[in-house]
Amino acid sequence: MRAEIATLASEIEKSVALLSQRLGETAAYRLEELNAMSEDPELWNDPAKAQKLMRERQLLSDSIDTRDGLAQELADNLELIEMGEAEGDADVVTEAETAIRKLRDIAAEKELEALLDGEADGNDTFIEINSGAGGTESCDWASMLARMYVRWAEKRGYKVELQSESAGEEAGIKSASYKISGPNAYGWLKGESGVHRLVRISPYDSAARRHTSFSSVWVYPVVDDAIEIEVNPSDIRIDTYRSSGAGGQHVNTTDSAVRITHIPTNIVVTSSEKSQHQNRDIAMKALKSRLYQMELDRRNAAINEAHEAKGDAGWGNQIRSYVLQPYQMVKDLRTGVETSDSQGVLDGNLDAFMAATLAQGATGKSRAEANAEIGRASCRERV
């Protein structure tokens, strides 16, 4: 077997091992459990819970099938190479080697997709583009960025909905907001938040001088309101007490009222209806509602912090530079990934940049390591 194929096989095996690590040792048992739960005839009495279970089941099943399929296809092709070499059948060997090269690209892509396991990575996303320093030039640049992201989303088969748009005074847009819906939309786009810098010969300058423009991008997830808040029983204290309701001193003389204290947050909720069982239910729902609101506040604070961290859309804050003059180059300043295919990037070929940011953010790898990992993605985009 040639050294190249041995190296590719080793890389595929590493990808399979990483996929297994992400799945965990109990993945097969969890899938069996979900399969059994999905056959419960009473499951769909709670549609929201049922849909959540079925989504988890499908995702887990697909992940296991992907890992097992990669491992099996690699084993099959390695066996074909051995057989072809033993029988002197060069065509079989060539075909199997070609399959392994393609399999390496697929394994690398699946490995990157496995990194999309953040809390909101699978969600739909909002993306906002705002013009920055540069006047008309910046407004035109903002419209070019909007087109770039729309093209990227459409290539992936995502649904794109324009939420709002403010036109520039002479050209382009001051701002635009889109909702992009599709699997892992937020996970892929989250690394695009920041300031984007354009250098080009201005089409609005009669002297044909070179101009630098800035626009900012802000990406945040669409939060699913059908969230389920779990309360650890050890985190709450339930007290019952005698409530004297309206109607006299001796009305409701049983200890039916309920007070629940959530110890970690010191949230206290009460209910004083006639039934203690009903009061427990009402108080617990109230507690979950309070905890849910706290979570939404926390998320909004994190989003605002991320937004403020982008800085002003101007010099010194950019995450990526797009140079159209005097040469062609797009370079990500965080990962060091670059390409001379500027027009391809502006037409939506962003996967190489997104993959590098994702790999570096998830593993803390160096620029060189991140570049090596997404090199194949860059080659596929140029083709």
Side-chain angles (χ1 to χ4, degrees), residues 133-296:
T136 299
E137 285 288 334
S138 179
C139 289
D140 190 46
W141 173 221
S143 68
M144 292 169 66
L145 282 174
R147 174 185 176 276
M148 179 180 77
Y149 287 115
V150 168
R151 292 291 298 273
W152 173 84
E154 290 174 344
K155 287 180 179 182
R156 281 188 164 263
Y158 290 169
K159 180 181 179 182
V160 180
E161 301 171 81
L162 178 64
Q163 303 290 296
S164 64
E165 185 177 90
S166 175
E169 294 180 3
E170 298 181 27
I173 57 173
K174 291 182 179 179
S175 64
S177 175
Y178 295 89
K179 178 182 179 183
I180 298 178
S181 305
N184 296 318
Y186 174 68
W188 283 113
L189 279 165
K190 63 184 180 182
E192 294 299 297
S193 287
V195 177
H196 297 246
R197 169 178 173 257
L198 172 70
V199 180
R200 66 171 177 175
I201 299 298
S202 171
Y204 305 100
D205 188 335
S206 58
R209 290 172 294 188
R210 190 170 64 172
H211 284 244
T212 299
S213 309
F214 300 90
S215 289
S216 67
V217 175
W218 181 23
V219 179
Y220 56 99
V222 176
V223 178
D224 183 2
D225 286 336
I227 187 173
E228 184 176 341
I229 299 293
E230 294 184 3
V231 178
N232 190 333
S234 64
D235 287 342
I236 61 175
R237 184 178 69 247
I238 301 177
D239 300 309
T240 58
Y241 61 97
R242 185 167 297 178
S243 174
S244 56
Q249 186 177 7
H250 301 292
V251 174
N252 193 13
T253 58
T254 61
D255 292 341
S256 62
V258 172
R259 178 191 299 112
I260 298 180
T261 303
H262 188 249
I263 299 169
T265 61
N266 204 33
I267 291 175
V268 178
V269 292
T270 63
S271 180
S272 55
E273 299 295 329
K274 291 183 178 180
S275 165
Q276 187 177 117
H277 178 77
Q278 183 183 20
N279 285 332
R280 282 176 178 262
D281 185 53
I282 292 172
M284 185 58 72
K285 287 181 178 178
L287 174 61
K288 289 183 177 181
S289 179
R290 292 278 299 276
L291 292 173
Y292 177 43
Q293 186 59 54
M294 284 186 65
E295 173 64 10
L296 288 181

